[in-house]
Amino acid sequence: MKHLLSIGDLTPDSAVDLLDEADRFKAALLGREVRKLPTLRGRTVMTVFFENSTRTRASFEVAGKWMSADVINVSAGTSSVSKGESLRDTAATLHAIGADALIVRHPASGAPRQVARWTAEMAQDGVAPSVINAGDGMHEHPTQALLDALTLRDRLGGIEGRRVGIVGDILHSRVARSNALLLTMLGADVVLIAPPTLMPLGADGWGVTVAHDLDSELPGLDAVMMLRVQAERMRGGFFPSPREYSIRYGLSETRRRMLPEHAVILHPGPMLRGMEIGYSVADSPQAAPLQQVANGVHVRMAVLFRLLVGGQVDA
Amino acid sequence: MPTNGNHNPAARPSGVRELMSASDVARTVARMAHQIIEKTALDTSSEHPVILIGIPTRGAPLAARLAERITEFSGVRVPVGALDITLYRDDLRGKPHRPLERTSIPIGGVDGSTVILVDDVLYSGRTVRAALDALRDLGRPRSVQLAVLVDRGHRELPLRADYVGKNIPTARSETVSVRLSEYDGADAVMLGAQDAAMHDTAARGDDGEARR
């Protein structure tokens, strides 16, 4: 595997391998005095973020540093992008500096794939950096889906045959897209729950169930994944008001009680408490946002290990 | 009993020869357990606990077997752990991707203890070097010893084992495969030409042990 651009790059076996590897990283780091492995010593990992992020970037940075890679952060706001440099030139520059991996977040869907293509063309010695998609527009966020799957596996003991509801702004959500792909690939029964205006056209062709009434779905779910309601899109007319959205699709305490006791509540963060998730719900033992974050580091270690170790030659 | 050093791989290019049978392996493990008891002066009052840490894959069950024998012969329960060294290997760039194995360190850690690293085959010594690095990141043992079922020579680092089940002089072109019932259905130590070996040494790295 050279890049991780989409969940579609994985097979069911390779996805399970990555989750198992993340588990082993967790075990390998458990109870250690020194949480630093020499595995990626001498490798340079660059996070290239054209959108804000706390979790994903910090998580990749920690994952790289715990494996002794040199991690360099590039943000759009502080880089030459703010002076008008194109994505292609930025990619060329970082490749020329000597990045072994580029972790790319971009508001445009498909940008990381484009970076992978460009850097492969530019590579005169045939060795181009590995590119990891850290969220591109409305397209995908594969490592988030992997860490969600790992959390579900931890909490539920397995994914196959489980019913997972993904609730909220499915239309704009790369998290929803990657999760729907991965969870169905791993044998889960996925139901997308959103107002019709926030449901992508053709979502029923993804191998998932589409629903609009949250209350009727809750009792049958093993896990519910709440998505962030993107305040910046609220004025776009996708639903009448935040309050109405919250009443119909927010996971309130009353709704939490409609879930089976074993059900897990996931949220990719950042959480808008009181909007898409109740204050007490976010802190309930069923909620797993911090476990998701912790698993994120192990998943990203596994991904970096898989991409950067193994002496493969770029095709 | 197989003889050491006088085999002729050229005469049997695709042959695989059994060097130790299941009963040889059992006897050897028992002898090594006695040696460990003697050398570490193992008793219940020891202020420096002895911990056996196996290097996966086949070092881990060997460590468990040694601990069992030690308990049987001395009455002292010895904690057993496993330490995967994949992340510490110095050949990660050049070799195919290898999945991680399980690491488990006994509760209480390794600080102040006598750690005995256990592996199936000692060859270049690079696995042991990686294990020493890994161990250093886990804590500070009082001392570290090494126990191997087979020492096949060809060291590339200045290391030697404290307990050796059997010395088997080999050619570099040969492979030594330790088979254990936990993974392979039966116990045996086999010697073969590289292309005829059950497990492909070249694909596994520097050491001659079967590591899958």
Side-chain angles (χ1 to χ4, degrees):
Chain A
M1 199 161 82
K2 174 73 184 171
H3 307 293
L4 180 59
L5 301 168
S6 158
I7 286 297
D9 295 344
L10 301 174
T11 61
D13 283 348
S14 65
V16 170
D17 276 353
L18 271 175
L19 297 181
D20 290 345
E21 198 106 293
D23 267 340
R24 289 188 211 109
F25 270 105
K26 192 190 298 182
L29 290 168
L30 197 72
R32 266 173 180 274
E33 207 162 83
V34 180
R35 273 193 297 193
K36 190 124 179 143
L37 302 156
T39 318
L40 297 182
R41 204 171 50 195
R43 299 298 185 105
T44 304
V45 172
M46 294 192 184
T47 67
V48 193
F49 276 50
F50 295 90
E51 276 185 344
N52 295 333
S53 162
T54 308
R55 280 162 203 74
T56 306
R57 179 147 84 182
S59 175
F60 268 114
E61 187 171 350
V62 166
K65 285 186 170 168
W66 282 359
M67 291 197 288
S68 301
D70 296 306
V71 184
I72 290 152
N73 296 317
V74 179
S75 312
T78 56
S79 73
S80 289
V81 173
S82 64
K83 301 174 190 167
E85 185 177 65
S86 71
L87 178 63
R88 192 177 196 282
D89 286 338
T90 305
T93 305
L94 299 178
H95 174 36
I97 286 175
D100 294 299
L102 295 175
I103 296 159
V104 181
R105 167 167 290 192
H106 201 281
S109 305
R113 190 173 295 280
Q114 205 41 267
V115 168
R117 201 171 296 145
W118 283 328
T119 48
E121 286 166 11
M122 291 165 198
Q124 289 174 351
D125 52 2
V127 183
S130 290
V131 179
I132 299 172
N133 180 358
D136 59 334
M138 302 192 289
H139 177 225
E140 281 216 47
H141 193 352
T143 55
Q144 176 72 40
L146 286 164
L147 73 89
D148 288 337
L150 189 63
T151 309
L152 287 178
R153 205 171 74 161
D154 287 351
R155 289 277 186 120
L156 299 172
I159 289 174
E160 196 169 356
R162 300 293 187 163
R163 190 167 171 85
V164 183
I166 304 180
V167 183
D169 186 356
I170 312 281
L171 179 63
H172 300 110
S173 175
R174 51 203 179 204
V175 173
R177 224 165 297 262
S178 286
N179 263 301
L181 274 171
L182 181 61
L183 293 173
T184 49
M185 184 195 280
L186 297 176
D189 182 9
V190 175
V191 48
L192 304 177
I193 307 160
T197 48
L198 289 175
M199 188 68 76
L201 280 175
D204 39 8
W206 295 2
V208 298
T209 312
V210 169
H212 303 296
D213 181 17
L214 179 56
D215 290 349
S216 64
E217 294 293 335
L218 286 173
L221 296 179
D222 297 296
V224 56
M225 186 178 294
M226 303 306 297
L227 297 174
R228 184 171 73 88
V229 175
Q230 289 152 3
E232 66 271 24
R233 290 176 182 138
M234 267 181 203
R235 284 182 292 277
F238 290 102
F239 48 84
S241 73
R243 179 162 166 72
E244 183 177 323
Y245 176 90
S246 184
I247 289 168
R248 292 202 60 193
Y249 291 99
L251 191 63
S252 60
E253 187 57 42
T254 315
R255 288 213 170 93
R256 186 189 67 77
R257 285 197 288 267
M258 293 164 77
L259 283 166
E261 256 181 54
H262 71 270
V264 192
I265 300 165
L266 301 181
H267 196 300
M271 290 190 284
L272 299 184
R273 291 182 186 231
M275 169 66 184
E276 76 256 351
I277 190 162
Y279 281 81
S280 61
V281 178
D283 295 328
S284 72
Q286 277 173 290
L290 294 179
Q291 190 179 358
Q292 288 172 271
V293 173
N295 279 336
V297 176
H298 302 127
V299 157
R300 284 159 184 143
M301 288 178 87
V303 169
L304 286 172
F305 181 62
R306 183 59 61 97
L307 296 187
L308 294 184
V309 162
Q312 72 270 52
V313 177
D314 190 20
Chain B
M1 173 130 180
T3 50
N4 294 336
N6 61 354
H7 50 267
N8 181 2
R12 308 174 60 177
S14 60
V16 176
R17 215 146 57 84
E18 182 178 279
L19 295 182
M20 290 172 82
S21 65
S23 60
D24 290 335
V25 172
R27 235 188 339 270
T28 305
V29 169
R31 177 169 52 74
M32 290 170 73
H34 279 297
Q35 288 172 337
I36 290 171
I37 293 166
E38 194 181 331
K39 183 161 176 171
T40 58
L42 200 67
D43 63 53
T44 44
S45 63
S46 171
E47 57 180 299
H48 301 297
V50 171
I51 299 175
L52 292 177
I53 294 186
I55 301 174
T57 309
R58 285 166 181 74
L62 276 175
R65 290 185 192 190
L66 278 170
E68 220 172 90
R69 292 281 93 81
I70 288 169
T71 307
E72 192 182 310
F73 301 146
S74 70
V76 179
R77 282 203 173 280
V78 186
V80 183
L83 180 61
D84 180 47
I85 51 88
T86 307
L87 297 165
Y88 288 83
R89 295 195 71 95
D90 58 9
D91 61 356
L92 284 171
R93 275 189 199 218
K95 297 285 197 281
H97 176 84
R98 55 173 72 214
L100 268 56
E101 302 274 354
R102 280 273 165 210
T103 288
S104 61
I105 299 301
I107 295 163
V110 298
D111 286 351
S113 59
T114 297
V115 169
I116 302 177
L117 291 170
V118 182
D119 205 358
D120 54 354
V121 179
L122 179 58
Y123 181 27
S124 66
R126 286 173 191 267
T127 298
V128 177
R129 182 209 60 82
L132 289 171
D133 283 352
L135 204 54
R136 189 187 55 187
D137 285 354
L138 290 175
R140 189 179 185 279
R142 180 172 168 269
S143 66
V144 183
Q145 299 176 0
L146 176 63
V148 295
L149 186 68
V150 172
D151 183 348
R152 61 167 293 194
H154 302 291
R155 213 76 76 244
E156 293 166 8
L157 295 168
L159 289 163
R160 65 166 184 79
D162 298 88
Y163 314 97
V164 178
K166 190 174 178 64
N167 281 297
I168 301 177
T170 56
R172 278 188 187 271
S173 60
E174 293 169 319
T175 56
V176 175
S177 300
V178 170
R179 300 178 191 175
L180 296 177
S181 54
E182 288 87 340
Y183 294 102
D184 313 299
D187 290 352
V189 176
M190 313 298 290
L191 178 80
Q194 198 148 44
D195 58 348
M198 268 187 62
H199 313 299
D200 179 12
T201 310
R204 285 195 313 269
D206 293 308
D207 286 13
E209 70 277 51
R211 211 181 279 289
R212 283 191 291 190

